[in-house]
Amino acid sequence: MRLDLNMLCRAAGSLIADPPGDDAATGERFRALMAALVDFDHVVVFANRGEERPIELFSTFNPEEHVIFVSLYQDGAYLLDPFHHNARESLAGVFRMRELAPDRFFAGEYYRTYYIKTGLAEEIGFFVPDDDGVTIVLSLMRKEATGVFSAAEFALLQQAEPLVNAMVRQFWGQTAERFDAAKADARHHARRQGGEVPDRIWRSLNLTSREASIIDLVLQGHSSESIGLRLSISTGTVKVHRRNVYRKLGISSQTQLLSLYLGNLKSSG
């Protein structure tokens, strides 16, 4: 672990002295602040509101990385992302991905099919909700070669949370207006297409609302036991619904289920 006090003071000073700028300038302020505290490989900042498509506010990816971390994510992978699902609940604080992931997340098809492509060893997110239903998630990422954040580094990031929180509220406090504009466009598109994308997929596959709820959770990485607890039904009932869905869709594995979902997602977008 390292702490660069010089860099920290300069980064904090820019937050106080500089007027609000665009997303790139604000993101760079955050990157500089974090770089004074810990080492990391990537930064990405998303605004989240409900199930709406997350808005990218800042990232440090090259064009090839941007396709995986942002384009594919916004195309629909976010619907299965633990960070997104917790942001929808207006979670506040600093969290490691593994703290928020469902019990079978790292053994699930979403992880093996999408998340593993990122080559990340760990992701830590600052969650900053506002009063308009928007949660800004500022993620620090480390590649496999860099390794995970130590307990001391994580504790340091936790101590920086009040400063990050204040920065987000000062520079990214009007993000709801962007969602409103995007939602108007999306609503028009959805009317032409026949509803919101996830709902259209489940309807096109002839799933009931209960089956759709269960399969949503399966794809996110929840076990049958976890699904039962969340939906207040028995584990046996969950398994019966899963078998019925697999039979209805003519599949026999979660790999096929995710492939079917992503295939329909692309054609429905």
Side-chain angles (χ1 to χ4, degrees):
M1 185 184 72
R2 60 161 183 77
L3 173 60
D4 189 325
L5 287 175
N6 237 350
M7 187 184 297
L8 178 62
C9 290
R10 288 198 303 271
S14 74
L15 295 178
I16 298 171
D18 295 344
D22 58 14
D23 290 340
T26 301
E28 181 55 32
R29 288 186 178 103
F30 172 71
R31 188 209 61 76
L33 180 64
M34 294 296 101
L37 302 177
V38 298
D39 292 319
F40 50 85
D41 295 303
H42 298 303
V43 174
V44 64
V45 182
F46 281 110
N48 300 265
R49 187 172 77 172
E51 292 189 359
E52 296 172 64
R53 187 175 189 263
I55 296 173
E56 178 198 12
L57 299 177
F58 176 78
S59 68
T60 58
F61 307 121
N62 64 36
E64 184 177 339
E65 293 165 339
H66 193 272
V67 171
I68 296 174
F69 285 94
V70 179
S71 300
L72 290 178
Y73 183 78
Q74 290 179 314
D75 281 346
Y78 74 89
L79 292 166
L80 307 176
D81 176 40
F83 272 15
H84 173 71
H85 279 275
N86 282 276
R88 285 169 49 189
E89 304 300 323
S90 297
L91 184 72
V94 187
F95 301 91
R96 298 180 191 263
M97 170 68 81
R98 62 176 180 263
E99 291 181 272
L100 303 180
D103 56 346
R104 295 294 303 279
F105 176 76
F106 294 100
E109 287 304 318
Y110 170 73
Y111 176 78
R112 295 202 296 254
T113 304
Y114 168 75
Y115 198 83
I116 203 168
K117 291 180 181 178
T118 64
L120 295 180
E122 185 168 48
E123 181 177 359
I124 287 179
F126 289 84
F127 288 68
V128 185
D130 66 16
D131 296 331
D132 296 318
V134 174
T135 298
I136 308 293
V137 180
L138 308 93
S139 294
L140 302 180
M141 299 172 166
R142 277 187 173 175
K143 298 178 181 178
E144 294 279 358
T146 308
V148 301
F149 293 88
S150 68
E153 288 173 320
F154 184 64
L156 194 57
L157 293 175
Q158 287 179 307
Q159 293 174 33
E161 181 197 354
L163 184 55
V164 173
N165 195 302
M167 184 205 76
V168 169
R169 294 181 184 281
Q170 178 180 355
F171 296 110
W172 275 319
Q174 304 298 321
T175 314
E177 297 173 359
R178 305 194 204 184
F179 279 103
D180 292 338
K183 191 172 185 178
D185 292 338
R187 189 182 297 117
H188 176 67
H189 180 71
R191 277 200 300 268
R192 289 190 292 126
Q193 296 293 324
E196 297 296 333
V197 171
D199 293 336
R200 293 205 307 273
I201 291 175
W202 300 137
R203 285 203 305 272
S204 71
L205 296 176
N206 296 316
L207 299 190
T208 66
S209 59
R210 173 62 83 184
E211 290 171 341
S213 298
I214 289 172
I215 293 306
D216 269 333
L217 292 169
V218 169
L219 289 173
Q220 290 170 36
H222 289 274
S223 66
S224 294
E225 292 77 9
S226 176
I227 294 171
L229 289 172
R230 290 174 70 93
L231 299 182
S232 300
I233 58 179
S234 71
T235 301
T237 299
V238 173
K239 292 179 177 178
V240 168
H241 279 299
R242 288 183 67 169
R243 285 197 298 269
N244 288 342
V245 169
Y246 281 28
R247 184 168 56 250
K248 183 183 291 187
L249 300 180
I251 60 176
S252 58
S253 70
Q254 191 176 332
T255 301
Q256 292 174 304
L257 175 64
L258 182 63
S259 177
L260 187 64
Y261 176 80
L262 293 178
N264 278 271
L265 187 64
K266 289 178 182 177
S267 62
S268 299

